[in-house]
Amino acid sequence: MKRILITSALPYINGIKHLGNLVGSQLPADLYARYMRAKGHEVAFICATDEHGTPAELAAIENQKSTEEYCTEMWQVQKDLSDRFFLSFDFFGRSSSSSNHELTKQFAKNLDKNGLLKKVEETQLYSIEDKRFLPDRYVIGTCPECSYERARGDQCEHCTRQLEASELINPRSVLSGTKNLELIKTNHLYLMQSKLKDKLLEWIESNKNWPILTTSIAKKWLKDGEGLQDRSITRDLNWGIPVEKNGKQWEGMENKVFYVWFDAPIAYISSTVDWAMSKNEHSDYWKSWWLYDHGAENVHYVQFMAKDNIPFHTLSFPATLLGANSSWKLVDFIKGFNWLTYEGGKFSTSQKRGVFMNQALDLFPSDYWRWWLLSNAPETSDADFTWQSFQSSVNKDLADVLGNFVSRLTKFTLSKFGKLIPKGTEYGQDELDTISEIEKVFGKYDDAMTRIEIRKATSYLRKIWSIGNEYLQRSQPWMVIKTNEAEAAKIIRFGFNLMLFISDISDPFIPETAKKIKECIGNSYSNRQWPSVKQNFVSIFENVEVGEKVSPIENLFTKIEDGYVLDLEKQFGGIDN
């Protein structure tokens, strides 16, 4: 048994996430967590909401709430949605927690002690009317590149150019609209990442098994020097973790908080602390996951994130860990993802373009979405969501293959054998050949799951579903029973063993459906471990008890009609559609 630590990139607090956010981190992380638990490993699947930074403050102002109240409400919204998508977090915390306050301050103190923090004087826009410094997103103005009049102080949404707030033409405050701004000198703390370049490069090059996407982004930033410029870790905001040391305000850092990209990854650790406390574990339990000198050398740590987060997780966060204390556990594998687009364009809240997590669950059950998103995961390139592709996946894979197999088997059994699974004759050559065929595909499926090659895994799982469906079609128990009831009973018995096996190996992808299948056979089949490729494979198909009571099962999946697809394309195509 291994110990597997899994973290998903923290969803930002300001609003409900779209399908691209879901498939870019949380959903594939859940797939892997479910698989590893089923294999018998000890798993800590940790996530949290990312609650600090300017977008949180601005969203709270827009909703006429205090930032703390807004974040508390949105944490619950995001937690409820994750539950409805059957995301099996061991703990879903908050970056605003007291434990993250404490840890973040401790990290800064240790970095300072190790000579890796420096105080830098710089100029920043100050609003006379608002009586405060304005961080990047608190300033809007005209872009000097494309003349877009509502460019933000960090980036122009129109032409995507990276900006400094002071570069904007006619800058004004987002808070009050005032143009009465001045450039005033102020101090910030910088993490001297450049001092850790050699250590980071050595560490990155030692991870030979990382996906190409992860390694290429990390090395590009290292070679170009973009990601290893000494980086500010403080901001002028009201909401955040105060810049303090030893319980006192850090000298020269009055009214400042730590930058969200400094404290957010530390929330992986603080959420593990909170998880351990919620389990009433001993005080050092969390350390066994995160500190080498407390047992973390036996932990395999895997992170899941979209590609825009890769530089922070391959450079900035490791720099924080390495710089603070050499005993901190570094990630072993980073699974990065490209973008999911919507009908050839971007998801957009303002344009009402694309499907967001709450809307998705109002339309279809979670497994419909889990299956399409994971079978189309943007692993090696961007993927595009279309309603026609979604319809095809649900209708052909789920309804016609898996749903058809379960429906025909259960309905025929209830109509001809009653509610008890019959025994019949011993397995014949057709059953043994079917098992052999499944065994070959299952070995590839299990290997793809171990390697976190998600699209490959879905293709093998789909193939196993097809093998089960083809067996039932080929054996035709509805015809055999007319002349040989015992032979038909054998087909049914084997069919239910196939169905149990399929539910076991489908659970990471479609957990709600897998649960329904097991409940159809009986409650004694829940929480089963992953089938082993090393055991006598025939024995896997002898697990269902003869005489087990079968419960009726509704159609697992409802097909999506063409007319409904057209309606959905119009409904979610955007305000200009």
Side-chain angles (χ1 to χ4, degrees):
M1 185 177 74
K2 296 179 181 177
R3 303 178 75 221
I4 313 293
L5 174 62
I6 302 168
T7 60
S8 162
L10 310 186
Y12 202 73
I13 197 69
N14 66 332
I16 294 168
K17 306 300 114 178
H18 59 65
L19 296 180
N21 301 133
L22 180 62
V23 77
S25 57
Q26 295 180 57
L27 184 55
D30 176 69
L31 176 83
Y32 187 64
R34 288 176 174 277
Y35 169 66
M36 282 296 164
R37 288 193 199 100
K39 296 275 279 190
H41 302 308
E42 184 182 3
V43 171
F45 179 21
I46 305 296
C47 193
T49 42
D50 183 358
E51 299 188 10
H52 296 137
T54 53
E57 285 195 356
L58 293 174
I61 292 168
E62 185 178 338
N63 284 273
Q64 299 181 326
K65 300 177 186 293
S66 70
T67 311
E68 184 175 3
E69 181 186 9
Y70 173 77
C71 288
T72 299
E73 288 184 6
M74 286 309 302
W75 178 87
Q76 191 63 58
V77 168
Q78 295 204 22
K79 176 65 169 64
D80 291 345
L81 284 170
S82 71
D83 289 344
R84 291 176 64 197
F85 268 101
F86 290 83
L87 302 179
S88 59
F89 299 121
D90 288 294
F91 194 81
F92 187 69
R94 302 178 63 178
S95 69
S96 63
S97 68
S98 59
S99 58
N100 201 43
H101 275 241
E102 183 180 335
L103 264 174
T104 299
K105 293 173 187 177
Q106 188 62 46
F107 266 101
K109 178 182 175 181
N110 290 344
L111 288 166
D112 185 49
K113 178 183 174 182
N114 295 336
L116 290 168
L117 292 187
K118 64 180 177 181
K119 194 181 297 183
V120 175
E121 185 180 76
E122 54 187 46
T123 57
Q124 189 173 339
L125 285 173
Y126 183 88
S127 170
I128 306 299
E129 291 184 23
D130 298 319
K131 297 180 181 180
R132 61 175 292 174
F133 283 101
L134 299 179
D136 42 27
R137 292 200 182 194
Y138 274 68
V139 185
I140 56 172
T142 301
C143 174
E145 182 74 20
C146 70
S147 299
Y148 177 60
E149 294 183 351
R150 292 192 60 81
R152 295 194 313 252
D154 60 345
Q155 185 179 26
C156 175
E157 281 188 335
H158 187 261
C159 69
T160 72
R161 176 179 163 179
Q162 300 289 318
L163 295 167
E164 295 289 337
S166 57
E167 294 180 85
L168 293 172
I169 301 167
N170 296 321
R172 57 195 182 275
S173 166
V174 170
L175 296 173
S176 61
T178 181
K179 294 183 180 180
N180 189 13
L181 311 180
E182 291 183 6
L183 280 171
I184 296 179
K185 290 181 179 180
T186 184
N187 292 321
H188 282 286
L189 285 178
Y190 274 66
L191 173 60
M192 291 185 277
Q193 297 182 136
S194 55
K195 287 189 174 185
L196 296 162
K197 179 177 180 180
D198 291 341
K199 279 187 177 181
L200 287 168
L201 182 59
E202 180 184 357
W203 169 65
I204 289 167
E205 290 186 336
S206 71
N207 290 286
K208 305 294 185 184
N209 65 332
W210 282 7
I212 293 173
L213 177 67
T214 302
T215 304
S216 61
I217 290 175
K219 287 186 174 180
K220 180 181 183 301
W221 276 60
L222 275 169
K223 289 178 181 178
D224 293 350
E226 297 172 9
L228 283 179
Q229 297 172 4
D230 295 339
R231 187 179 185 88
S232 171
I233 63 167
T234 55
R235 288 292 187 272
D236 291 282
L237 292 168
N238 296 322
W239 171 251
I241 300 174
V243 182
E244 297 175 348
K245 182 166 58 173
N246 299 325
K248 298 179 181 179
Q249 192 170 64
W250 203 300
E251 186 179 348
M253 295 293 126
E254 292 78 14
N255 302 316
K256 297 187 190 300
V257 299
F258 286 105
Y259 178 38
V260 61
W261 257 111
F262 181 67
D263 80 75
I266 296 171
Y268 297 141
I269 306 172
S270 64
S271 293
T272 311
V273 175
D274 294 339
W275 171 59
M277 289 179 62
S278 72
K279 287 160 55 74
N280 294 318
E281 293 283 355
H282 58 84
S283 59
D284 284 349
Y285 176 72
W286 71 268
K287 295 178 182 177
S288 70
W289 293 94
W290 281 104
L291 290 164
Y292 289 119
D293 55 8
H294 282 75
E297 68 275 4
N298 298 317
V299 171
H300 183 66
Y301 179 20
V302 183
Q303 294 175 344
F304 290 80
M305 69 198 64
K307 60 185 177 183
D308 59 331
N309 284 333
I310 289 174
F312 295 100
H313 287 79
T314 55
L315 300 175
S316 297
F317 185 42
T320 299
L321 297 173
L322 286 168
N325 183 338
S326 60
S327 187
W328 285 109
K329 170 71 182 176
L330 296 176
V331 66
D332 295 296
F333 190 84
I334 298 177
K335 180 68 175 182
F337 292 88
N338 290 281
W339 304 127
L340 178 71
T341 56
Y342 178 84
E343 297 278 5
K346 290 182 178 181
F347 287 82
S348 172
T349 305
S350 61
Q351 294 294 312
K352 302 186 187 305
R353 177 179 171 80
V355 185
F356 289 71
M357 288 174 65
N358 59 333
Q359 297 168 324
L361 292 171
D362 289 340
L363 295 170
F364 299 102
S366 62
D367 281 356
Y368 288 39
W369 298 105
R370 289 178 65 105
W371 177 250
W372 188 92
L373 290 168
L374 291 167
S375 60
N376 292 275
E379 292 177 290
T380 56
S381 61
D382 292 350
D384 188 42
F385 176 88
T386 69
W387 284 109
Q388 290 189 4
S389 172
F390 181 74
Q391 176 195 28
S392 177
S393 181
V394 170
N395 290 359
K396 293 180 180 179
D397 296 344
L398 297 180
D400 285 348
V401 180
L402 178 58
N404 189 44
F405 169 71
V406 172
S407 177
R408 288 197 297 176
L409 179 65
T410 54
K411 287 180 179 178
F412 175 76
T413 302
L414 288 165
S415 66
K416 298 299 182 182
F417 291 96
K419 293 186 177 182
L420 302 182
I421 295 176
K423 184 178 191 313
T425 59
E426 297 301 314
Y427 290 162
Q429 195 59 48
D430 194 10
E431 288 73 37
L432 296 177
D433 287 346
T434 300
I435 292 170
S436 178
E437 186 180 4
I438 289 174
E439 184 176 14
K440 292 174 185 175
V441 180
F442 177 69
K444 296 175 182 178
Y445 173 56
D446 188 62
D447 183 63
M449 290 290 281
T450 300
R451 295 173 180 272
I452 321 180
E453 295 175 342
I454 298 172
R455 292 180 74 153
K456 272 188 182 179
T458 56
S459 68
Y460 295 132
L461 179 57
R462 188 188 295 111
K463 175 62 177 173
I464 292 171
W465 293 350
S466 296
I467 292 170
N469 209 29
E470 288 162 5
Y471 166 79
L472 204 60
Q473 183 63 34
R474 185 173 63 249
S475 61
Q476 295 190 326
W478 44 87
M479 297 297 293
V480 173
I481 197 171
K482 295 178 180 179
T483 56
N484 191 336
E485 184 173 321
E487 183 72 7
K490 173 205 67 176
I491 295 169
I492 294 307
R493 187 176 90 252
F494 182 63
F496 273 99
N497 276 284
L498 262 176
M499 198 168 83
L500 179 61
F501 172 77
I502 284 172
S503 72
D504 286 340
I505 66 172
S506 301
D507 179 83
F509 284 92
I510 46 174
E512 187 177 20
T513 301
K515 184 172 183 284
K516 286 179 180 178
I517 292 173
K518 285 186 173 68
E519 288 174 346
C520 164
I521 306 172
N523 293 327
S524 61
Y525 299 105
S526 60
N527 300 319
R528 287 163 48 82
Q529 284 207 342
W530 195 258
S532 172
V533 293
K534 296 180 180 178
Q535 72 185 89
N536 173 10
F537 212 69
V538 174
S539 67
I540 293 173
F541 298 88
E542 296 173 343
N543 286 327
V544 175
E545 294 289 335
V546 173
E548 187 76 69
K549 192 173 181 180
V550 179
S551 301
I553 187 168
E554 299 296 327
N555 287 338
L556 287 175
F557 308 102
T558 302
K559 286 192 172 185
I560 303 171
E561 300 296 331
D562 292 346
Y564 192 34
V565 168
L566 293 174
D567 291 341
L568 292 168
E569 287 174 343
K570 292 177 182 177
Q571 183 179 349
F572 295 96
I575 57 178
D576 296 328
N577 187 41

